[in-house]
Amino acid sequence: MTGTTSTAPGVPDTPAVTAHPRRWLALAVIAISQLMVILDATIVNIALPHAQTDLGISDADRQWVITAYTLTFGGLLLLGGRIADFWGRKRTFLVGMVGFALASAVGGLAQTGGLLFAARALQGAFGALLAPASLALLTVLFTEARERARAFAVYGAIAGGGSAVGLVLGGVLTEYANWRWCLLVNVPIAAAALAAALPLVPESRAHGDTRYDVPGAIVVTAGLVCLVYGFTKAAEDGWDATATIAFIAAGVLLLAAFVLLERRSTHPLLPLRIVLDRNRGGAYLTSTLIGAGLFAAFLFLTFYFQVVLRYPPAKAGLASLPVTAGVLLAAGLASQLLPRIGAKPLMVAGTLLAAGAMLALTGIDVDTSFVAHLLPAQFALGMGLGFAFVPLSSLALVGVPEHDAGAASATLNATQQVGGSLGTALLNTMYTSAVTGYLSSRTPNPLTQVQALVHGYSVAFAWGAGLVLLATLATVLLVRVRKQDLATGGAVHLG
């Protein structure tokens, strides 16, 4: 999963009187760019074991392949949305696509782990331009309510199905070509989309004050990087090491400084009125905790399939599909149930189901049956995600004025990415410590080496389940919205 989409963008500033004549062709171009971003997350997961071996990346540092992307994407997403509005949505879209492709090329050709990490960070930064620009263009191109619903259905289908395509494509490319093509494949996709976008996608921009909260974006991203680096140092040096404590403390202080900046800024990156509402705050906290628990689960499942069970990459990609199937099925059911029973019951059920599935994954061994154990656990995990994220998308917009809708929606997306960044770093540290502790009390041999890896994965799944259970608690304590609020004031009218 990856979290690069938003389900309820804001209303355009001045709806077009006449629909753009080539809007459906433009939608196809935008959908291609969205597919590229979605593919990138799951493709890289499948490729990571081979990239780690090829570039000599340590277990403690491998999480940077994931977190370098999610940190810059989540940290800069809100700023990217404002840049798209005022600099020009088409211009931002094109720059984001070109930059994303170039960063992908650098990553695909990287000869060191550090260069790969840097390329992934650049991908995240340009993705933070590309994703909000894509959504903003859709709101401008489709001004009639029924057409807009169809357009966003297509966009959402790409988001849901793209992750499954990425798993399979990543496995095929890694097994039959090279892991590098999991990044290089973005170059021809972007080139085709760019050639089509130039004549088909119209330019548009918002009017008014165009000042950006650049200090806020820098401070929040630096704070998150410090936290993640602190978790990484804990895996290498221990939690009581001076460097570990210093980086975690710096991260906390920078995030506190970000809150102060946002309170005083006349054009805040994140208007605090959006997150201080009890229901929306509960939604964002729940989203952060779910992201923290589940991003790492997908990472460790990939390594378990390929390193312990010795699945080839293509088979590992196929073996991960039950999660996507569960998400798609549960999302459809949740959409039907949301108006009837409201957001809170679905979110509680979803997070409990996801946590239970992760606890089931703690029972893995060196030869666990896929059909009897791994398939149902993954499917249940996907079902839990689907039941949780559909109501989260609506809850994040409860009572939001139209002019804050874009920021509120982008904040939900950002919390998933930020949570995933912190969770991946934290759980990778727990995994590394568990493996080291397991081996320290046993005689090293090939079997104990594999058993140590399995023990580490189980510990990581247990911690992930704990984070998702905290998301359940946050939902129970903070969410008070009624089902009729979702129907009347909970969603921003897009027609």
Side-chain angles (χ1 to χ4, degrees):
M1 48 176 289
T2 61
T4 54
T5 63
S6 180
T7 55
V11 176
D13 301 286
T14 53
V17 176
T18 303
H20 192 274
R22 292 182 290 182
R23 60 193 179 280
W24 294 106
L25 290 174
L27 170 63
V29 176
I30 294 169
I32 290 173
S33 72
Q34 170 68 2
L35 179 62
M36 179 178 68
V37 176
I38 292 294
L39 282 176
D40 187 73
T42 47
I43 275 183
V44 169
N45 268 4
I46 295 296
L48 185 51
H50 288 259
Q52 181 182 1
T53 301
D54 195 13
L55 300 181
I57 301 170
S58 69
D59 282 353
D61 285 339
R62 70 186 178 192
Q63 49 87 16
W64 284 108
V65 178
I66 307 297
T67 55
Y69 177 86
T70 53
L71 279 173
T72 52
F73 184 90
L76 300 175
L77 186 62
L78 288 165
L79 180 62
R82 288 189 61 81
I83 290 173
D85 283 340
F86 295 126
W87 193 49
R89 287 145 186 158
K90 177 179 180 178
R91 182 186 298 178
T92 305
F93 177 79
L94 296 177
V95 169
M97 187 154 41
V98 171
F100 196 91
L102 291 175
S104 299
V106 172
L109 298 173
Q111 298 300 311
T112 65
L115 186 56
L116 178 59
F117 303 155
R120 291 286 289 162
L122 278 176
Q123 277 188 312
F126 284 110
L129 293 176
L130 184 58
S134 300
L135 286 166
L137 283 169
L138 287 188
T139 65
V140 172
L141 286 165
F142 296 92
T143 56
E144 193 272 322
R146 197 169 297 175
E147 282 196 348
R148 179 175 286 178
R150 290 169 59 193
F152 276 99
V154 171
Y155 194 85
I158 292 290
S163 59
V165 174
L167 290 169
V168 176
L169 183 60
V172 170
L173 288 174
T174 302
E175 185 169 346
Y176 297 108
N178 188 283
W179 68 266
R180 297 178 182 279
W181 277 102
C182 293
L183 291 167
L184 294 174
V185 71
N186 291 326
V187 177
I189 294 175
L194 183 66
L198 287 170
L200 292 176
V201 176
E203 182 60 283
S204 68
R205 58 173 53 86
H207 301 287
D209 196 329
T210 60
R211 283 184 289 176
Y212 306 120
D213 183 17
V214 175
I218 293 173
V219 169
V220 70
T221 304
L224 294 170
V225 168
C226 284
L227 279 181
V228 169
Y229 193 69
F231 293 154
T232 304
K233 295 301 289 182
E236 298 172 346
D237 305 331
W239 289 100
D240 58 349
T242 302
T244 301
I245 296 171
F247 276 104
I248 291 177
V252 172
L253 289 174
L254 284 168
L255 293 178
F258 171 70
V259 173
L260 294 177
L261 279 174
E262 299 309 281
R263 289 185 63 185
R264 298 178 180 181
S265 175
T266 55
H267 295 79
L269 184 69
L270 175 60
L272 294 182
R273 61 181 176 273
I274 292 176
V275 297
L276 291 179
D277 173 84
R278 177 172 182 159
N279 289 300
R280 291 195 298 274
Y284 297 138
L285 178 58
T286 299
S287 174
T288 302
L289 290 168
I290 291 175
L294 294 174
F295 269 55
F298 302 133
L299 174 66
F300 292 118
L301 272 172
T302 295
F303 275 89
Y304 176 67
F305 286 144
Q306 296 187 55
V307 177
V308 175
L309 298 184
R310 299 291 182 181
Y311 286 2
K315 185 177 179 180
L318 291 171
S320 303
L321 289 180
V323 175
T324 302
V327 169
L328 294 176
L329 177 60
L333 292 173
S335 298
Q336 300 298 317
L337 292 172
L338 183 60
R340 300 178 185 176
I341 65 175
K344 186 172 183 175
L346 282 173
M347 290 167 62
V348 170
T351 51
L352 286 176
L353 182 58
M358 293 188 71
L359 287 174
L361 288 173
T362 64
I364 58 173
D365 205 341
V366 295
D367 57 355
T368 299
S369 167
F370 179 79
V371 174
H373 191 154
L374 296 170
L375 189 154
Q378 287 188 92
F379 185 74
L381 180 60
M383 290 284 288
L385 279 175
F387 282 129
F389 277 128
V390 168
L392 269 176
S393 300
S394 295
L395 191 57
L397 290 174
V398 168
V400 174
E402 288 186 351
H403 62 272
D404 281 340
S409 184
T411 300
L412 180 66
N413 197 340
T415 57
Q416 295 169 17
Q417 301 295 325
V418 168
S421 304
L422 298 176
T424 299
L426 176 62
L427 268 62
N428 192 61
T429 296
M430 298 305 174
Y431 158 83
T432 305
S433 300
V435 170
T436 302
Y438 188 94
L439 290 174
S440 66
S441 59
R442 290 166 175 82
T443 303
N445 60 63
L447 178 59
T448 57
Q449 291 282 352
V450 176
Q451 290 173 334
L453 297 179
V454 173
H455 174 66
Y457 300 143
S458 297
V459 168
F461 290 138
W463 274 87
L467 290 170
V468 178
L469 286 174
L470 286 178
T472 307
L473 184 62
T475 300
V476 170
L477 295 179
L478 296 176
V479 175
R480 292 289 184 269
V481 69
R482 302 167 299 174
K483 62 182 180 180
Q484 57 266 36
D485 295 327
L486 293 176
T488 57
V492 175
H493 177 60
L494 295 176

